[in-house]
Amino acid sequence: GAVVSQHPSWVICKSGTSVKIECRSLDFQATTMFWYRQFPKQSLMLMATSNEGSKATYEQGVEKDKFLINHASLTLSTLTVTSAHPEDSSFYICSAIGRGMNTEAFFGQGTRLTVV
Amino acid sequence: DAKTTQPPSMDCAEGRAANLPCNHSTISGNEYVYWYRQIHSQGPQYIIHGLKNNETNEMASLIITEDRKSSTLILPHATLRDTAVYYCIVRPVWRWGGSNYKLTFGKGTLLTVNP
């Protein structure tokens, strides 16, 4: 299957700082990318959907000014957690789909964010 | 809200077939059934998907009932590495430029393969 790579795999940051997470589609053009958040022992919660070259569409309850998403190219999307707080500590996962009808989404390996 | 119902957990002996059920009684005619799994602390992995016919690939088989209200994922010879949370998801046919592709995850089934 297609490969989606996230970087970094884990990050620890101080409260109040910003953290950027990258999501890359390595062998296909990702027309749409999705960002999820997963708290311990819970399922994945969709945060936002982004189409290349367009503004992201955020799910209800997700602060767009806090979770900045950029999808500037067909192979890269970034999620920036601004002014991080301990409650933002979570497992962040991206997924991507390429051109073509009814294709499956491929997921990155996830990024473990710990805010101290 | 997720539109599927799965048992919270199942056990399976190594080497035996694992049959994971999923109910999706409100599925629409244009919705596919997708299966993903998530091994602990990793991103979900695509397994298989289907519309109305049974499907098979190198990982698993997907059996969809004739009325499409339920399906079963079959791992023919489960190994310890198949221990994971398995998610059954329904989603509509994706339209170019549309926003209806998003996958909504339920709680899934924790499959534990025992030696």
Side-chain angles (χ1 to χ4, degrees):
Chain A
V3 178
V4 175
S5 177
Q6 269 183 254
H7 178 80
S9 297
W10 60 270
V11 58
I12 301 173
C13 72
K14 292 184 177 180
S15 185
T17 62
S18 296
V19 176
K20 179 183 286 187
I21 302 170
E22 293 186 348
C23 178
R24 293 181 183 273
S25 56
L26 299 185
D27 52 2
F28 68 102
Q29 292 183 327
T31 53
T32 304
M33 286 186 168
F34 306 85
W35 287 94
Y36 293 83
R37 179 168 54 181
Q38 186 176 34
F39 292 109
K41 297 187 178 181
Q42 294 188 22
S43 188
L44 285 78
M45 296 295 295
L46 180 66
M47 299 175 67
T49 302
S50 71
N51 293 304
E52 183 264 337
S54 302
K55 290 184 178 180
T57 302
Y58 290 80
E59 295 297 302
Q60 190 173 8
V62 178
E63 301 175 59
K64 61 180 181 180
D65 293 330
K66 180 171 182 62
F67 299 100
L68 302 179
I69 292 172
N70 183 279
H71 190 172
S73 77
L74 285 172
T75 59
L76 174 64
S77 176
T78 60
L79 167 67
T80 301
V81 182
T82 64
S83 187
H85 291 286
E87 56 264 33
D88 298 325
S89 298
S90 187
F91 193 50
Y92 292 86
I93 307 167
C94 72
S95 73
I97 57 171
R99 298 182 185 276
M101 301 292 288
N102 308 318
T103 184
E104 61 268 30
F106 296 95
F107 286 78
Q109 73 272 32
T111 297
R112 176 75 58 191
L113 170 63
T114 303
V115 184
V116 297
Chain B
D1 292 337
K3 297 187 288 186
T4 62
T5 303
Q6 298 177 253
S9 64
M10 293 182 65
D11 286 314
C12 177
E14 187 178 19
R16 305 297 294 269
N19 298 289
L20 292 93
C22 179
N23 286 322
H24 31 79
S25 58
T26 61
I27 191 170
S28 300
N30 67 342
E31 288 184 317
Y32 282 72
V33 180
Y34 276 72
W35 283 84
Y36 284 81
R37 72 180 182 183
Q38 186 179 25
I39 296 171
H40 183 63
S41 295
Q42 297 183 22
Q45 176 189 22
Y46 165 80
I47 301 173
I48 199 166
H49 74 282
L51 183 62
K52 55 183 179 181
N53 297 321
N54 297 336
E55 303 288 344
T56 295
N57 62 21
E58 63 277 6
M59 289 184 67
S61 294
L62 174 60
I63 307 298
I64 303 175
T65 58
E66 191 170 346
D67 63 8
R68 301 205 329 119
K69 292 185 177 182
S70 66
S71 62
T72 301
L73 178 74
I74 301 173
L75 306 180
H77 305 287
T79 70
L80 299 179
R81 288 178 295 180
D82 292 321
T83 293
V85 177
Y86 287 76
Y87 297 100
C88 168
I89 301 168
V90 297
R91 72 148 186 88
V93 172
W94 182 78
R95 297 298 180 196
W96 176 253
S99 61
N100 63 347
Y101 186 88
K102 59 184 180 181
L103 297 172
T104 301
F105 286 79
K107 296 182 178 180
T109 296
L110 173 59
L111 174 68
T112 302
V113 181
N114 300 305

